[in-house]
Amino acid sequence: MTGVRLTTNAYPHDQRLEAWRFALQRVSLELDGGDEDIYGDLVSFTSGQKIQFIRCTGTAQALTLDFRQEARCFWLVLLLEGRLTATSGDAVVEIGEGDMVYGGGDTRCRITAEGDFRLLIVKVPHSLPALKSRSQLPTQISDLIADTAVGRMMSSLLRTVADTILDISDDQIRPVELALPEMIAATLLDRAPAKALGGAAGGRAAILERVFQSIEMRLSDPNLNTHQIASEHNISPRYLQKLFEQHGESFGHYVKLRRLERCRLDLGSPLHAQRSISEILFQWGFNDSASFSRAFREQYGMSPREYRKSPESVGTSAEAPRRGRPEKARDVRLENREPASVLEGVLPGADALPALDDAARTRRHHFLPARPDTIHWGYFSRSLSPALEVRSGDYVTIETLTHHANDDAERMIEGDAGAEAVFHWTAEGKAVERRGAGPFDASALGRGPGEGFGVHICTGPIAVEGARPGDVIEVRILDMEARPSQNPRFAGRSFGSNVAAYWGFHYKDLLTEPKDREVITIYEMDDEPGRATAQAVYSYRWTPQTDPSGVVHDRYDYPGVPVDPETITRNFDVLRDVTIPVRPHFGVIALAPAHSELIDSVPPANFGGNIDNWRLGKGASCFLPVGVPGGLLSMGDPHASQGDSELCGTAIECSMTAVIQVILHPAKTSRKYIRGIDYPMIETPDEWVILGFSHPDYLKELGASAQSEVYKQSSIDAAMRDAFRKARRFLMTLRDFTEDEAISLLSVGVDFGISQVANGNWGVHAVIRKSLFSS
């Protein structure tokens, strides 16, 4: 990525105005007027797809956006703080925080801030296939309000970019490069008048664009044909062929070129270094290696093996293969096509994340925010309606909230619209009524609906198309970031809470008085790249808290109870000079149990759940056996850091946003160590982590009272034995070892550790290092 950074505070007072004016000009902005007291801070970068992001902060001033001398583009302005008035010709648009104004590159626009402001300007090339083939540029400015569905999604996505603009990497921006053009195209198509869509020609273009996307999502099917695609779009195979002829291409040749490009990208990716060429070519729908090798050499001038050895040199060649639609796939709808140099490195709207794994580049990218209608609190259930439906290989940017955010609402909830909505609780009721898997009428303990048997805020569930019992779902965690505070006092900073609670392993073994104390410690995370750390801010002892419904909580016994700051004493002299490495991970990744009741979110089991193993973070995969059709994946309980055992009952509980990829492995998958697994397993680039529990399938093992009995019958001995049995079976399957060989290796080369002693069903894990095996 390329970009600029400037703050006027770096210049002498009398030079600030000109320095600011010059910095704005570098990103095609003009300052109207201004004085020497002006303040401005500007950060910009341009992504690999030539999408430009400009974060601008300043005092009252007027700026003019003028992109008319540049390549055709779509632009938008997201207001992060303050109020703005946008003017273009006779059109005047006023926007508030979270709202957007947008227009085409030929539209000159003046934006005026009467007070301090913070905004993000985004400029997207119209040459990106997601826009070029599906929408015309707007000719006047329009607003996009944050309380609309697409407005919420775009605002949330771009706010994350703005907050991380100094640290974001090429890999991290790729999901945005995929999602943003698609969102813009959908917005423009939705708002365009019928005549602007181009009549019959526009209709053909729209059909062809949908066909392109269908092909991208089915490239791995070796039986892909015109009849299949034509039937999906309710057109005849002959008409489909005519569409391709008008596009300057045949269906079969187009499909071959797209498959070759997918193979090329995988061959050049270090993430696929362990996969054979045969695995890759079969993955993308080729039927034999000989024809693949010939086609690859014809297209790229070298064999697949030669390309794999020197992908960097190919990437810099004048004849380097293009990303996106094949160069030969001519777009006959454009009389003045962009030259090849402009299209270099550009991905079509249906592509995604070219440096990522498996079928990544052909899959869709979804955004799943945390809202009252997209979360379930404290339980799993096979009866939940999906919050999202995906196909195997799709990507999801997923927001997850910690149920501990009310330990310091000022830092972790205030100003955050999503968190405020989920945690909303007044005397009149809650936004999320059920919190836990216990009786809804609070008939057992009187603590509130759900009784607190189960505590985690889970985003989802996500249904996976085609998932059936016997299959395995792999959840790849591609990235994780702490959710920053939206309170202006703590803007851009991230916080989490650790509770030394009554359910902690330590609780009955305290030395100092009072021995029945529960202590909350608030941490702040510093996510500087390469050395992310956490430090304690303050701690306090739990005091009886009266919730908005009037119930008094003497202990930390019900999730989401707001802590009244006036009732606690903060101790800021805590853990001085102690710096904790941050290793973000999910505590909860679960599929729906094959069980008719609501299932408490606390005890983990064969379906996954509250695993609480810190290895389940960025770069790891979690494999889960499917118990019900669709799988119904839920994620939550995000942690900034945790040690093995989670001794005191919690980690640093911190809201997180992650990018994941969901892969469906059918029951007869060729990966034999996955086939038939009936327990959750973690895989990292260096290790397999086998998870054992005191009762691996407690819902079946412990009978009708399983959800209460599991808390009474856990032991490290039982968890260790389960981890041993699973690890033994894994090694015998993975390497065809005899039982004696597996047992010897488990003793001399495998590390067993305590995952957690906090979740009712205690856990032990076996860490099998891949370096043990020479091949």
Side-chain angles (χ1 to χ4, degrees):
M1 292 182 295
T2 58
V4 296
R5 170 75 197 272
L6 179 137
T7 176
T8 55
N9 286 345
Y11 291 82
H13 190 269
D14 60 350
Q15 297 178 19
R16 291 179 180 177
L17 178 59
E18 287 309 309
W20 182 236
R21 193 185 306 278
F22 178 72
L24 292 170
Q25 288 174 350
R26 292 181 63 187
V27 291
S28 300
L29 302 178
E30 298 176 9
L31 177 64
D32 296 344
D35 55 45
E36 291 185 350
D37 292 328
I38 200 167
Y39 167 78
D41 181 277
L42 185 144
V43 185
S44 81
F45 72 79
T46 302
S47 74
Q49 289 202 57
K50 309 303 181 185
I51 300 177
Q52 187 174 24
F53 301 87
I54 306 163
R55 190 184 71 190
C56 187
T57 305
T59 51
Q61 55 191 278
L63 304 174
T64 296
L65 285 67
D66 190 354
F67 303 127
R68 291 176 296 176
Q69 301 304 312
E70 304 180 23
R72 288 169 56 79
C73 70
F74 171 94
W75 59 262
L76 66 83
V77 177
L78 166 65
L79 183 59
L80 302 167
E81 296 177 20
R83 291 200 65 82
L84 288 182
T85 300
T87 307
S88 179
D90 295 332
V92 178
V93 174
E94 293 187 0
I95 60 172
E97 291 185 9
D99 298 337
M100 287 165 279
V101 60
Y102 67 84
D106 293 334
T107 306
R108 181 179 167 95
C109 178
R110 187 176 192 267
I111 54 176
T112 304
E114 301 296 337
D116 294 351
F117 70 93
R118 184 167 170 262
L119 57 82
L120 181 72
I121 302 171
V122 184
K123 187 174 61 175
V124 183
H126 192 246
S127 60
L128 293 183
L131 294 178
K132 180 176 67 175
S133 61
R134 290 156 54 186
S135 59
Q136 296 184 6
L137 289 175
T139 56
Q140 59 185 22
I141 62 172
S142 301
D143 60 351
L144 188 58
I145 306 301
D147 60 5
T148 63
V150 70
R152 284 196 301 271
M153 289 190 290
M154 290 179 67
S155 178
S156 179
L157 179 68
L158 293 176
R159 184 177 288 276
T160 302
V161 174
D163 291 340
T164 59
I165 196 169
L166 290 173
D167 303 321
I168 200 163
S169 68
D170 289 298
D171 285 342
Q172 292 165 341
I173 201 63
R174 282 181 181 126
V176 180
E177 290 182 302
L178 166 71
L180 185 58
E182 292 286 346
M183 290 180 178
I184 292 171
T187 300
L188 297 182
L189 282 172
D190 183 57
R191 294 188 170 203
K195 64 179 181 180
L197 296 178
R204 290 194 296 271
I207 294 173
L208 191 57
E209 177 59 25
R210 292 195 296 270
V211 166
F212 285 146
Q213 294 194 18
S214 295
I215 291 172
E216 294 294 330
M217 290 184 284
R218 289 163 176 77
L219 283 176
S220 59
D221 180 3
N223 299 314
L224 180 65
N225 57 57
T226 55
H227 292 275
Q228 181 181 347
I229 298 296
S231 174
E232 180 178 339
H233 295 281
N234 296 315
I235 59 178
S236 71
R238 179 58 188 152
Y239 183 66
L240 178 62
Q241 289 287 14
K242 281 185 173 294
L243 289 175
F244 271 90
E245 289 171 7
Q246 293 170 2
H247 193 69
E249 183 63 280
S250 72
F251 177 88
H253 191 245
Y254 177 85
V255 170
K256 183 177 76 171
L257 292 178
R258 297 309 302 135
R259 285 173 170 161
L260 285 170
E261 179 65 0
R262 292 297 175 261
C263 292
R264 182 193 72 81
L265 291 169
D266 280 3
L267 290 169
S269 170
L271 294 177
H272 293 275
Q274 302 303 316
R275 298 179 69 202
S276 69
I277 294 175
S278 295
E279 284 182 291
I280 291 173
L281 71 91
F282 288 130
Q283 167 70 33
W284 290 113
F286 286 98
N287 288 316
D288 68 273
S289 57
S291 61
F292 166 73
S293 295
R294 284 195 301 273
F296 194 94
R297 183 180 291 277
E298 288 175 3
Q299 182 68 12
Y300 304 124
M302 62 178 64
S303 71
R305 190 176 304 279
E306 290 169 336
Y307 178 80
R308 176 166 249 181
K309 289 180 180 179
S310 57
E312 291 297 328
S313 63
V314 175
T316 58
S317 166
E319 297 301 322
R322 309 267 194 255
R323 291 178 183 168
R325 295 197 185 119
E327 186 181 2
K328 297 178 182 178
R330 186 166 53 91
D331 191 340
V332 298
R333 291 166 295 162
L334 302 177
E335 295 182 1
N336 299 309
R337 297 189 301 276
E338 297 285 2
S341 59
V342 174
L343 298 176
E344 184 81 37
V346 174
L347 290 166
D351 285 4
L353 299 167
L356 296 178
D357 212 346
D358 279 13
R361 301 164 195 85
T362 65
R363 307 310 185 190
R364 301 171 301 175
H365 193 111
H366 310 265
F367 175 59
L368 185 56
R371 302 190 307 250
D373 61 328
T374 61
I375 65 103
H376 47 104
W377 197 327
Y379 64 95
F380 308 116
S381 172
R382 64 182 300 166
S383 301
L384 282 168
S385 297
L388 177 68
E389 296 184 2
V390 302
R391 299 188 184 106
S392 178
D394 282 1
Y395 297 90
V396 183
T397 294
I398 183 170
E399 294 182 345
T400 56
L401 300 175
T402 175
H403 52 290
H404 288 272
N406 256 332
D407 295 348
D408 187 334
E410 185 181 34
R411 285 172 168 81
M412 292 187 273
I413 296 179
E414 287 184 18
D416 186 326
E420 287 179 341
V422 169
F423 280 90
H424 179 75
W425 186 358
T426 66
E428 287 70 39
K430 305 183 182 79
V432 182
E433 189 64 30
R434 173 175 286 284
R435 305 184 182 196
F440 190 79
D441 61 3
S443 59
L445 301 174
R447 295 184 301 194
E451 292 283 56
F453 301 141
V455 296
H456 307 99
I457 300 173
C458 300
T459 305
I462 300 171
V464 182
E465 183 180 294
R468 296 289 182 269
D471 297 341
V472 173
I473 286 177
E474 175 186 359
V475 182
R476 296 178 178 174
I477 303 172
L478 305 177
D479 201 7
M480 288 188 73
E481 288 187 352
R483 188 180 180 104
S485 175
Q486 298 301 309
N487 185 328
R489 290 183 55 200
F490 309 104
R493 299 157 63 185
S494 300
F495 300 90
S497 173
N498 169 251
V499 182
Y502 73 89
W503 64 83
F505 192 84
H506 70 291
Y507 192 70
K508 298 298 183 181
D509 199 10
L510 294 171
L511 296 173
T512 55
E513 297 292 344
K515 292 186 178 180
D516 58 351
R517 65 187 182 274
E518 294 177 286
V519 178
I520 291 87
T521 305
I522 302 299
Y523 287 84
E524 180 175 352
M525 273 60 70
D526 179 357
D527 62 354
E528 182 176 343
R531 53 190 185 98
T533 59
Q535 292 184 306
V537 180
Y538 68 90
S539 66
Y540 62 92
R541 291 179 182 170
W542 180 266
T543 57
Q545 298 294 319
T546 302
D547 68 33
S549 299
V551 176
V552 177
H553 300 266
D554 294 325
R555 296 194 303 182
Y556 200 106
D557 64 354
Y558 190 72
V561 172
V563 173
D564 181 355
E566 299 299 320
T567 66
I568 61 172
T569 300
R570 303 187 188 195
N571 171 28
F572 288 92
D573 186 15
V574 58
L575 290 175
R576 281 188 176 183
D577 304 319
V578 174
T579 299
I580 300 162
V582 167
R583 42 193 186 192
H585 61 280
F586 283 105
V588 169
I589 298 185
L591 299 184
H595 197 278
S596 59
E597 298 179 21
L598 298 183
I599 304 303
D600 181 347
S601 70
V602 173
N606 59 326
F607 55 83
N610 190 23
I611 293 170
D612 280 340
N613 191 300
W614 62 262
R615 296 157 185 85
L616 198 46
K618 180 179 178 179
S621 287
C622 183
F623 296 87
L624 298 167
V626 176
V628 302
L632 299 183
L633 168 68
S634 298
M635 302 180 68
D637 192 28
H639 298 166
S641 196
Q642 177 200 309
D644 282 337
S645 83
E646 200 178 21
L647 181 82
C648 77
T650 66
I652 299 180
E653 313 283 333
C654 173
S655 298
M656 294 270 178
T657 298
V659 179
I660 64 170
Q661 186 186 21
V662 182
I663 304 291
L664 176 63
H665 297 279
K668 296 183 179 180
T669 176
S670 59
R671 298 169 70 175
K672 60 181 181 179
Y673 68 88
I674 297 174
R675 193 186 311 146
I677 66 168
D678 56 0
Y679 58 87
M681 180 183 73
I682 300 170
E683 182 176 6
T684 74
D686 302 316
E687 302 167 339
W688 290 287
V689 184
I690 311 301
L691 302 171
F693 305 109
S694 297
H695 300 281
D697 192 359
Y698 75 91
L699 293 169
K700 288 184 177 179
E701 295 170 29
L702 301 180
S705 301
Q707 296 201 65
S708 58
E709 287 300 312
V710 67
Y711 287 94
K712 305 173 186 177
Q713 298 190 26
S714 287
S715 73
I716 292 298
D717 287 353
M720 176 67 191
R721 187 157 299 282
D722 184 50
F724 153 64
R725 289 170 174 169
K726 290 172 178 173
R728 174 183 58 187
R729 177 174 132 202
F730 179 84
L731 288 174
M732 293 175 70
T733 302
L734 175 71
R735 306 291 296 191
D736 293 324
F737 287 153
T738 66
E739 183 178 22
D740 293 339
E741 287 176 313
I743 289 171
S744 179
L745 181 56
L746 288 172
S747 185
V748 302
V750 174
D751 295 321
F752 287 81
I754 298 173
S755 303
Q756 50 76 24
V757 287
N759 300 337
N761 198 7
W762 291 359
V764 167
H765 56 260
V767 179
I768 302 173
R769 296 184 301 278
K770 295 179 180 178
S771 61
L772 291 170
F773 311 107
S774 58
S775 62

